[in-house]
């Protein structure tokens, strides 16, 4: 039985065809551990262990569409080609065998850079050939490139459904391709994919979501991940007011996104403290309020330090979930995604359920070295 303190985390969730035993989601985390882009048994067992560990839903690491230079590291998995899709079939079978639910996070890395030791075999593409404001990289996409990219996302969604995944997530956050269209710092186009408002800059994302929805049909849940911050600029904000947030996210829900996955670096930070104070709604809370769609929150759950610091080698200590439970109890958001805590503790959810937080390890960046 769940600990009474954390009971809210273990309530079932059911929306748009996605039925989960609890509210804990494994956050997508790039592992770059699929040799030449082909997931195999090691990847399947990695995800199986998290399903056995009690999470309600697993979202895969980002897996890329069939476009030139759609990934920025060599061993990021593909979500196209017979070999890669056969590998993903093994993954979802392993998760289902363990009683879990899972969706792939479908991705295009745009102009972002990966490891310095590897370069794509084609020129990178982005809205305007910009990595960040004033920093050129790669080429600006033509309207034909855009149409082909939309079609590639739709094919990936159809493949996710065909392989038996329970949902699929479009990665529209963190300064990657879709987010580069949202952000005026990387979108300097002179066509219908840009404009002075966030609603106009959301056209590309809306076309992708609509194409994915058409590809999978009604009744198959689609998740969209979004963020204000970018890896190129942690302080970037796409929506400075709730009204702008509604103009940004509302059309994407209308296009077919069932659930919004709202990424922030620390889930407890208020989105608009000038409106509702320092204990006010976070990003996911405001997104739910302005769109009416269920939301997933995320950001340093169960750990003392935020994840960007982890890439600099910083360790984090395990922390309590009292703040999380309080926000869930007031129905601020619907699901919570857990990242690094699940790298170091595959059974994090089961331990929280049993009230065994003292048995949890902190996060050590060394844990990223293997698919444990």
């Amino acid at each position: 039985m769940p600990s009474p303190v954390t009971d809210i985390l273990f309530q079932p969730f059911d929306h748009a065809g996605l039925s989960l035993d609890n509210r804990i989601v494994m956050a997508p985390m790039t592992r770059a551990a699929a040799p030449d882009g082909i997931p195999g048994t090691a990847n399947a067992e990695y995800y199986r262990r998290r399903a056995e560990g009690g999470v309600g839903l697993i979202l895969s690491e980002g897996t890329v569409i069939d476009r030139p230079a759609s990934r920025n590291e060599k061993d990021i998995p593909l979500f196209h080609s017979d070999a890669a899709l056969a590998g993903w079939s093994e993954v979802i079978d392993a998760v289902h065998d363990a009683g879990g639910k899972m969706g792939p996070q479908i991705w295009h890395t745009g102009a972002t850079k990966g490891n310095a030791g590897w370069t794509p075999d084609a020129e990178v593409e982005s809205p305007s050939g910009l990595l960040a404001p004033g920093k050129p990289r790669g080429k600006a996409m033509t309207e034909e490139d855009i149409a082909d990219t939309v079609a590639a996302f739709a094919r990936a969604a159809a493949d996710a459904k065909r392989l038996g995944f329970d949902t699929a997530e479009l990665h529209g956050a963190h300064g990657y391709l879709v987010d580069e269209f949202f952000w005026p710092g990387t979108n300097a186009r002179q066509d219908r994919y840009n404009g002075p408002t966030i609603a106009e800059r959301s056209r590309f994302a809306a076309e992708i979501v609509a194409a994915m929805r058409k590809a999978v049909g009604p009744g198959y849940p689609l998740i969209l991940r979004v963020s204000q911050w970018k890896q190129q600029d942690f302080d970037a904000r796409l929506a400075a007011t709730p009204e702008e947030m509604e103009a940004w996210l509302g059309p994407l829900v209308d296009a077919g996104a069932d659930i919004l996955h709202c990424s922030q670096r620390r889930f407890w930070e208020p989105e608009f403290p000038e409106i509702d104070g320092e204990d006010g709604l976070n990003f996911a809370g405001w997104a739910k309020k302005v769109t009416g769609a269920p939301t997933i929150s995320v950001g340093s759950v169960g750990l003392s330090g935020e994840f960007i610091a982890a890439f600099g080698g910083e360790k984090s200590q395990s922390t309590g979930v009292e703040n999380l439970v309080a926000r869930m109890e007031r129905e601020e958001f619907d699901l919570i995604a857990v990242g690094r805590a699940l790298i170091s503790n595959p059974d994090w959810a089961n331990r929280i359920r049993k009230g065994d937080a003292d048995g949890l390890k902190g996060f050590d960046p060394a844990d990223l070295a293997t698919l444990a």
Side-chain angles (χ1 to χ4, degrees):
M1 294 291 293
S3 164
V5 176
T6 59
D7 180 71
I8 189 66
L9 301 179
F10 296 93
Q11 299 299 309
F13 173 83
D14 194 337
H15 179 77
L18 183 63
S19 296
L20 307 176
D21 290 339
N22 63 57
R23 305 301 180 102
I24 298 172
V25 178
M26 179 179 177
M29 292 175 282
T30 298
R31 304 307 310 274
D36 297 319
I38 311 301
T41 299
N43 309 87
E45 291 305 306
Y46 165 74
Y47 289 114
R48 177 201 289 273
R49 283 188 284 275
R50 275 71 193 173
E52 292 171 341
V55 298
L57 175 68
I58 293 169
L59 292 173
S60 82
E61 63 203 290
T63 178
V64 298
I65 60 170
D66 187 10
R67 284 293 294 163
S70 60
R71 57 182 175 157
N72 59 9
E73 293 190 29
K74 176 177 178 291
D75 292 329
I76 284 173
L78 311 176
F79 207 77
H80 60 88
S81 85
D82 290 344
L85 293 177
W88 282 115
S89 182
E90 181 181 353
V91 170
I92 189 56
D93 286 349
V95 168
H96 283 166
D97 286 347
K101 301 282 182 73
M102 184 176 185
Q105 186 190 67
I106 301 173
W107 194 24
H108 185 312
T109 60
T112 59
K113 296 181 179 180
N115 289 335
W118 184 79
T119 55
D121 56 6
E123 189 174 18
V124 300
E125 60 184 6
S126 65
S128 304
L130 293 171
L131 169 62
K135 294 184 178 181
R137 185 169 191 251
K139 68 170 188 172
M141 296 170 75
T142 66
E143 290 212 13
E144 182 179 4
D145 291 333
I146 288 174
D148 289 346
T149 300
V150 170
F153 274 109
R155 286 195 302 275
D159 283 332
K161 182 179 180 181
R162 177 178 60 82
L163 293 175
F165 283 93
D166 304 282
T167 183
E169 176 173 281
L170 169 63
H171 197 342
H174 302 168
Y176 296 112
L177 181 68
V178 174
D179 202 16
E180 288 168 350
F181 276 84
F182 291 145
W183 190 27
T186 46
N187 187 345
R189 299 180 68 87
Q190 301 298 313
D191 61 10
R192 61 200 175 104
Y193 292 99
N194 193 13
T197 69
I198 183 60
E200 291 168 295
R201 296 191 301 275
S202 296
R203 177 186 290 270
F204 177 60
E207 289 186 0
I208 294 171
V209 172
M212 292 173 70
R213 170 56 63 207
K214 183 177 180 181
V216 299
Y220 185 80
L222 293 177
I223 303 171
L224 171 64
R225 195 177 217 203
V226 289
S227 68
Q228 297 261 37
W229 68 273
K230 324 292 164 209
Q231 60 190 282
Q232 300 95 320
D233 181 355
F234 293 160
D235 297 322
R237 288 175 68 79
L238 299 176
T241 66
E243 292 75 20
E244 287 187 348
M245 186 177 290
E246 183 177 5
W248 169 29
L249 300 178
L252 301 176
V253 172
D254 292 343
D258 296 300
I259 300 169
L260 298 173
H261 187 175
C262 302
S263 176
Q264 58 187 111
R265 293 166 63 201
R266 305 169 185 90
F267 79 89
W268 57 87
E269 293 183 341
E271 190 64 25
F272 300 117
E274 68 277 11
I275 295 175
D276 57 3
E278 292 301 323
D279 193 39
L281 298 176
N282 71 1
F283 180 23
W286 273 104
K288 179 178 180 177
K289 183 172 183 175
V290 302
T291 68
T295 59
I296 306 170
S297 189
V298 67
S300 304
V301 175
L303 292 173
S304 60
E306 57 91 30
F307 79 99
I308 294 295
F311 295 103
E314 183 177 304
K315 297 181 180 180
S316 290
Q317 301 302 311
S318 179
T319 64
V321 293
E322 293 81 7
N323 190 340
L324 170 61
V325 166
R327 288 175 180 269
M328 293 287 287
E329 286 179 340
R330 71 189 192 194
E331 299 183 350
E332 182 173 345
F333 42 81
D334 301 272
L335 299 158
I336 187 66
V338 180
R340 291 166 296 136
L342 277 167
I343 296 290
S344 300
N345 302 275
D347 60 349
W348 187 90
N350 282 341
R351 287 184 180 272
I352 292 294
R353 184 183 181 95
K354 296 174 184 175
D356 184 24
D358 291 343
L360 292 169
K361 297 187 297 181
F363 170 75
D364 187 331
D367 294 341
L368 295 172
T370 60
L371 287 179

